[in-house]
Amino acid sequence: MFDHFAKEKSDFLRKKDKSRKGRIDKGIIKIISTLNSKNDYYTTSSCAGRIVLLEIKSRKKDECRWIFIKHDEVTFNEINNSLKKYNNNIKNNKTNKKIENQIWLKQQPVILHVACRNLDAARKLLDASRKIFKHSGMIGVTDKKATIEIIGNERIETVIADNNFAADEKYFKNLIKYANKNFVENKSKIGKFFSLIKGL
Amino acid sequence: MFDHFAKEKSDFLRKKDKSRKGRIDKGIIKIISTLNSKNDYYTTSSCAGRIVLLEIKSRKKDECRWIFIKHDEVTFNEINNSLKKYNNNIKNNKTNKKIENQIWLKQQPVILHVACRNLDAARKLLDASRKIFKHSGMIGVTDKKATIEIIGNERIETVIADNNFAADEKYFKNLIKYANKNFVENKSKIGKFFSLIKGL
């Protein structure tokens, strides 16, 4: 019998990685390869978690500019240097004068999209995921496959400056400390999740 | 034929509301009653969105203390008064001396759990939900029903103080301004979602 899911899987996994980073985060390589080694699953996108600074011009995703991205813990200096460089660019660019200049810090948890052969396979993965990542869910079901979104819990998402205010250095340093703390907790949950899916 | 789903629905809707608030948020009453008027759906829990201050002793949910909760926009004064009262209690209570005193502000979006008669009904609701709330997903599927979690996008989640630091008043005021802005955006999406589900 023609195995439609296996064909789609092999086609998908042969394609070039189209993510901004162009490769899989090292923190979740083991999870990705374990899932992809099983007949019933393949991963379609993934991020192990990241700490970012971005300028939001509008809440629509296509109207923001990345100031800093790292898929790992960060130091105050590296994040602050990006911010300084960004501020200098703004000053030198007269066309940007009217920008609201709203800057957000986000520490985002792991996110994984997994295609599953059928509803039973999806349910098994979903039950395992929700033991650790309680906001995971099935985001699509067709006759051909079901897709699970696995998403972590620990996050920070806050505005740190606009044209009228800015967080002071002490606050910013502490915020980064907590972002790193969350990042480590997120990593530890990824480890626990790996133990769970090995047996699927 | 015995309609198992209809029986479970009427049993569930007859039960007392066990939420902290004890009643449905006014911002989503129309959505709840529209869904519950349809044979294929009933809502099992809901929050229209809220702005909270909480003390986190550990990331486990049962080790936090609520300082302030409001299911609506907030003023700086009402949130700051709660904080002052909380700080006074801490000072007067010697047993609390060793508390890390980690205080977080969270502006959380709408969240709704909806039981669906079957996979087809769930899929219809999921597709509508994800047009507006992209992290919505099916969180459970059994032979008897499927459950959808609908969850909004706009959020702020950040630490504002611990024993070693605190956000200054200007920053805190601006943070509250953005929390209110997000709350309004969340409300407007609830309105759009209502238009979508009427036709389900």
Side-chain angles (χ1 to χ4, degrees):
Chain A
M1 208 188 79
F2 178 68
D3 185 341
H4 186 91
F5 184 80
K7 170 77 170 71
E8 208 178 273
K9 174 173 176 174
S10 85
D11 286 351
F12 187 92
L13 295 181
R14 221 179 300 128
K15 276 191 287 183
K16 204 177 163 291
D17 186 333
K18 281 191 221 124
S19 64
R20 170 182 297 272
K21 217 181 151 192
R23 59 188 155 79
I24 294 170
D25 287 351
K26 115 180 156 253
I28 46 169
I29 287 180
K30 283 200 296 185
I31 286 175
I32 307 274
S33 47
T34 303
L35 285 170
N36 286 335
S37 75
K38 294 174 191 291
N39 286 333
D40 286 353
Y41 304 104
Y42 66 93
T43 57
T44 58
S45 72
S46 64
C47 172
R50 58 187 188 178
I51 296 172
V52 304
L53 269 189
L54 69 172
E55 183 204 323
I56 297 183
K57 293 179 195 174
S58 107
R59 297 303 303 245
K60 287 173 196 156
K61 205 184 170 183
D62 51 357
E63 289 184 78
C64 71
R65 191 198 315 202
W66 297 91
I67 300 170
F68 176 86
I69 307 183
K70 194 174 175 188
H71 294 239
D72 209 337
E73 291 166 66
V74 299
T75 64
F76 170 74
N77 281 343
E78 60 186 345
I79 211 164
N80 201 41
N81 288 343
S82 300
L83 198 53
K84 276 186 199 154
K85 210 169 135 191
Y86 163 83
N87 280 332
N88 287 336
N89 285 344
I90 293 288
K91 270 182 217 151
N92 298 335
N93 189 345
K94 286 176 188 166
T95 58
N96 270 335
K97 261 188 182 164
K98 281 177 188 165
I99 283 182
E100 196 192 340
N101 207 5
Q102 196 186 106
I103 298 169
W104 288 67
L105 179 131
K106 299 190 182 187
Q107 166 268 317
Q108 299 172 312
V110 57
I111 186 164
L112 260 176
H113 285 180
V114 187
C116 312
R117 178 179 288 273
N118 52 38
L119 200 57
D120 269 351
R123 206 176 331 197
K124 257 166 67 183
L125 179 59
L126 184 60
D127 289 347
S129 307
R130 288 180 51 86
K131 281 184 187 139
I132 296 173
F133 301 122
K134 66 181 177 164
H135 286 297
S136 301
M138 203 179 307
I139 56 170
V141 201
T142 68
D143 297 339
K144 290 179 183 168
K145 63 168 188 265
T147 305
I148 299 282
E149 178 175 87
I150 295 162
I151 191 161
N153 308 315
E154 286 73 27
R155 66 170 77 223
I156 285 175
E157 192 160 334
T158 195
V159 61
I160 56 158
D162 68 14
N163 283 342
N164 301 311
F165 82 103
D168 63 42
E169 190 171 303
K170 189 171 179 190
Y171 180 77
F172 196 36
K173 276 184 175 161
N174 276 284
L175 193 60
I176 289 167
K177 188 184 89 182
Y178 278 94
N180 284 332
K181 237 173 156 174
N182 273 3
F183 197 89
V184 169
E185 177 66 16
N186 175 61
K187 248 192 214 167
S188 127
K189 290 204 174 144
I190 290 175
K192 283 180 195 154
F193 182 63
F194 177 60
S195 309
L196 271 185
I197 58 155
K198 276 191 292 186
L200 272 191
Chain B
M1 208 188 77
F2 178 69
D3 185 339
H4 185 91
F5 184 80
K7 169 79 171 69
E8 209 178 274
K9 174 173 177 174
S10 85
D11 287 350
F12 187 92
L13 296 181
R14 222 179 301 127
K15 276 191 287 183
K16 202 177 163 292
D17 187 334
K18 281 192 218 121
S19 66
R20 170 182 299 271
K21 215 178 153 193
R23 59 187 157 78
I24 293 171
D25 286 351
K26 113 179 157 253
I28 45 170
I29 286 179
K30 283 200 297 185
I31 286 174
I32 307 274
S33 47
T34 303
L35 285 171
N36 286 334
S37 75
K38 294 174 191 290
N39 286 334
D40 286 352
Y41 304 104
Y42 66 93
T43 57
T44 58
S45 72
S46 64
C47 171
R50 58 186 188 178
I51 295 172
V52 304
L53 268 189
L54 69 171
E55 183 204 322
I56 297 183
K57 294 179 193 174
S58 105
R59 297 304 303 245
K60 288 174 193 155
K61 205 184 168 182
D62 50 357
E63 290 184 78
C64 73
R65 191 197 315 200
W66 297 91
I67 300 169
F68 176 86
I69 307 183
K70 194 172 176 189
H71 295 239
D72 209 337
E73 290 166 67
V74 299
T75 64
F76 170 73
N77 281 343
E78 60 186 344
I79 210 163
N80 201 40
N81 287 342
S82 300
L83 199 52
K84 275 187 198 154
K85 209 169 136 190
Y86 163 83
N87 280 332
N88 286 336
N89 285 343
I90 293 287
K91 270 182 215 148
N92 298 334
N93 188 345
K94 286 176 189 165
T95 58
N96 269 335
K97 261 189 182 163
K98 282 177 188 164
I99 283 182
E100 198 192 338
N101 207 6
Q102 196 184 109
I103 298 170
W104 287 67
L105 179 131
K106 298 189 183 189
Q107 166 268 317
Q108 299 172 313
V110 57
I111 185 164
L112 262 176
H113 284 181
V114 187
C116 313
R117 179 180 289 274
N118 51 39
L119 201 57
D120 268 351
R123 207 176 328 197
K124 256 166 68 184
L125 179 59
L126 184 59
D127 289 347
S129 307
R130 288 179 53 85
K131 280 184 190 142
I132 295 172
F133 302 121
K134 65 180 177 164
H135 286 297
S136 302
M138 203 181 305
I139 56 171
V141 201
T142 67
D143 297 340
K144 291 179 182 168
K145 63 168 187 266
T147 305
I148 300 281
E149 178 176 88
I150 295 162
I151 191 161
N153 307 316
E154 286 73 28
R155 65 171 77 223
I156 285 175
E157 192 161 336
T158 195
V159 61
I160 57 158
D162 69 15
N163 284 342
N164 302 311
F165 81 103
D168 63 42
E169 191 172 303
K170 188 169 181 192
Y171 180 77
F172 196 35
K173 275 183 175 161
N174 276 284
L175 193 59
I176 289 167
K177 188 185 88 183
Y178 278 94
N180 283 332
K181 235 173 158 175
N182 273 3
F183 198 89
V184 170
E185 177 66 16
N186 174 62
K187 246 192 214 166
S188 127
K189 289 204 175 144
I190 290 175
K192 283 179 196 154
F193 182 62
F194 177 61
S195 310
L196 271 185
I197 58 157
K198 276 190 292 188
L200 271 191

